[in-house]
Amino acid sequence: MKKVLGLAAAGLLATTAANAGQITVANTDITLFGGVSAAYNAQNNDHSIAKPGFAKDGFSVNNVIVGLTKPAQDGGIGFTAAFGSWEAPTVVASSDVVNGRNTLDLNLIGHGKTTEFKPWLAFVTYKPVAGLSVDAGLLWANFGERPVTILNPHITRGVLFTANPVVMAGARASYDAGIAKVYVGTGKVGAQLMQPLYKNSGVTPKTYIEAGITGNLKQVGLPVDVGLHTYNEAGGRDIYALTAGGDLGIVSLGLEVNYFKADKALKTVQKNSDSAWGAALCANVKPMAGIQIPVRIEYADAKKSQLIPTIAYTENSNSVWTFTITPTYNPTKNTFIRAEVSYVNSDKKIFVNDKENPKDSRTTGAVELGFLF
């Protein structure tokens, strides 16, 4: 799996890789990786599309992930594949809402329900020469939070997660020039995990292109990685993202700023604003060995559009801000116990309690135990 700037949980991902085991199959060394986690979740209300009588608390198996990878050598071919079933709780909507299990009708999932056990990352890599690689298959976006909980510092995903493509089917070429890395890719629209309400709008984009550049500012004395990314759908949405992150010792910081724009066809159907934007600031304080305290603060403005579908409110503009804190204890380098509280406040009453009363804020809490291998 690639290193991702911004909000990716590089520490957890590195732990998974470091503790992965080796399997020898037909004289080929293959690395086994994955993890399992379970959680207790509670919420005072849910997204307004939740059906009456939704659960306010309960236990869940958040992740069951098993993966295999064989890195490509220069002039050779490798692969990565991860199979699993996972929950997708977000600050603005429960996993039940995201997966359509207890909703009126929300078309957010392109690749299928996250709770279905199947491939969620699967691609073949060809590396013709040093520094150049081509991946083809089911890929993850090169910016934003990772799909599965155990690869993020928080249990819930942020509001920007619900507006990014996250998962896509296509091909991507990457070149590492040393001081910078560039990539470009294309594929079919359809597998994207998160997407605007295309089903209701009647607009069906068919293809996408993506491109980006990342680099490190160590040459100028700053321990910071920065990236510029773009994701564009033909006849759908365009996303432009700036990411930055760095480890300053006792604290690491990450920033993601996204601008969303509707293509002409989508704007014509929506008959409202053609843009939206959001930003997320993350900090992870590590006061002592085995203890970390990740914090995430977000602000997003939908601007009457459906480009951030979970906060869309087309009659009037709607914006939200969110706060999430997740104190985490690592008993060993490949296990964790974490508790979390998240809060979101909206300009409009986009939430409802279990008595169907509209609300403009939402609070969730969770405790999760996990094991990485």
Side-chain angles (χ1 to χ4, degrees):
M1 289 187 234
K2 296 181 176 63
K3 178 182 177 184
V4 180
L5 303 180
L7 305 181
L12 282 174
L13 187 58
T15 300
T16 302
N19 290 281
Q22 296 290 324
I23 301 175
T24 300
V25 179
N27 299 316
T28 299
D29 289 330
I30 297 175
T31 300
L32 172 70
F33 65 91
V36 178
S37 72
Y40 172 76
N41 312 280
Q43 58 182 357
N44 66 337
N45 54 48
D46 207 341
H47 198 279
S48 60
I49 65 170
K51 292 180 180 178
F54 61 82
K56 295 185 68 174
D57 64 344
F59 289 92
S60 64
V61 178
N62 276 6
N63 298 271
V64 178
I65 307 296
V66 178
L68 298 170
T69 185
K70 173 64 171 69
Q73 304 299 319
D74 293 350
I77 296 176
F79 79 94
T80 296
F83 301 80
S85 170
W86 49 283
E87 297 288 352
T90 73
V91 293
V92 289
S94 68
S95 184
D96 284 340
V97 166
V98 172
N99 280 288
R101 291 183 299 219
N102 188 29
T103 65
L104 301 177
D105 183 25
L106 182 65
N107 184 28
L108 277 180
I109 304 296
H111 187 53
K113 297 182 185 301
T114 69
T115 49
E116 296 176 351
F117 191 89
K118 59 184 177 181
W120 286 100
L121 182 69
F123 59 88
V124 175
T125 301
Y126 173 51
K127 194 173 182 181
V129 296
L132 177 63
S133 62
V134 179
D135 301 325
L138 190 64
L139 308 170
W140 288 357
N142 266 341
F143 61 92
E145 292 178 284
R146 305 298 83 197
V148 295
T149 301
I150 54 177
L151 294 184
N152 291 304
H154 302 285
I155 300 171
T156 58
R157 269 53 121 222
V159 67
L160 291 184
F161 175 87
T162 69
N164 287 331
V166 185
V167 174
M168 57 191 72
R172 175 187 298 151
S174 305
Y175 180 69
D176 187 348
I179 61 174
K181 299 178 181 179
V182 296
Y183 69 90
V184 61
T186 186
K188 295 285 188 180
V189 174
Q192 279 72 359
L193 184 62
M194 294 294 176
Q195 57 186 334
L197 307 179
Y198 292 142
K199 178 180 177 181
N200 297 334
S201 68
V203 174
T204 308
K206 294 183 179 180
T207 61
Y208 76 85
I209 60 172
E210 61 166 350
I213 180 171
T214 61
N216 192 285
L217 301 183
K218 288 182 180 179
Q219 292 81 4
V220 294
L222 296 175
V224 177
D225 295 323
V226 296
L228 293 173
H229 313 267
T230 179
Y231 166 86
N232 308 110
E233 294 171 346
R237 57 180 169 160
D238 299 338
I239 302 175
Y240 304 94
L242 165 67
T243 59
D247 191 340
L248 306 179
I250 194 173
V251 61
S252 57
L253 297 173
L255 173 68
E256 179 183 351
V257 180
N258 287 6
Y259 176 74
F260 308 89
K261 186 172 178 60
D263 283 354
K264 184 177 180 180
L266 185 59
K267 178 183 178 182
T268 301
V269 172
Q270 289 188 15
K271 297 180 180 179
N272 46 33
S273 176
D274 66 345
S275 64
W277 75 279
L281 175 64
C282 291
N284 190 356
V285 181
K286 296 161 282 187
M288 63 184 70
I291 300 292
Q292 51 185 321
I293 307 173
V295 174
R296 179 183 60 211
I297 301 173
E298 295 178 292
Y299 177 82
D301 189 350
K303 292 182 177 291
K304 299 184 183 180
S305 77
Q306 295 181 352
L307 295 168
I308 307 178
T310 52
I311 65 171
Y313 193 98
T314 56
E315 294 180 9
N316 296 287
S317 61
N318 183 52
S319 61
V320 302
W321 71 269
T322 79
F323 175 82
T324 305
I325 184 169
T326 314
T328 301
Y329 170 55
N330 300 105
T332 63
K333 60 183 179 180
N334 66 325
T335 60
F336 64 84
I337 302 170
R338 55 187 179 183
E340 179 172 285
V341 174
S342 70
Y343 174 81
V344 56
N345 184 270
S346 171
D347 276 358
K348 307 301 175 185
K349 295 184 177 181
I350 62 173
F351 309 109
V352 293
N353 61 17
D354 56 347
K355 300 184 184 301
E356 299 185 71
N357 297 320
K359 301 293 181 179
D360 61 6
S361 64
R362 178 173 186 256
T363 303
T364 65
V367 177
E368 184 182 44
L369 286 74
F371 176 85
L372 307 176
F373 59 85

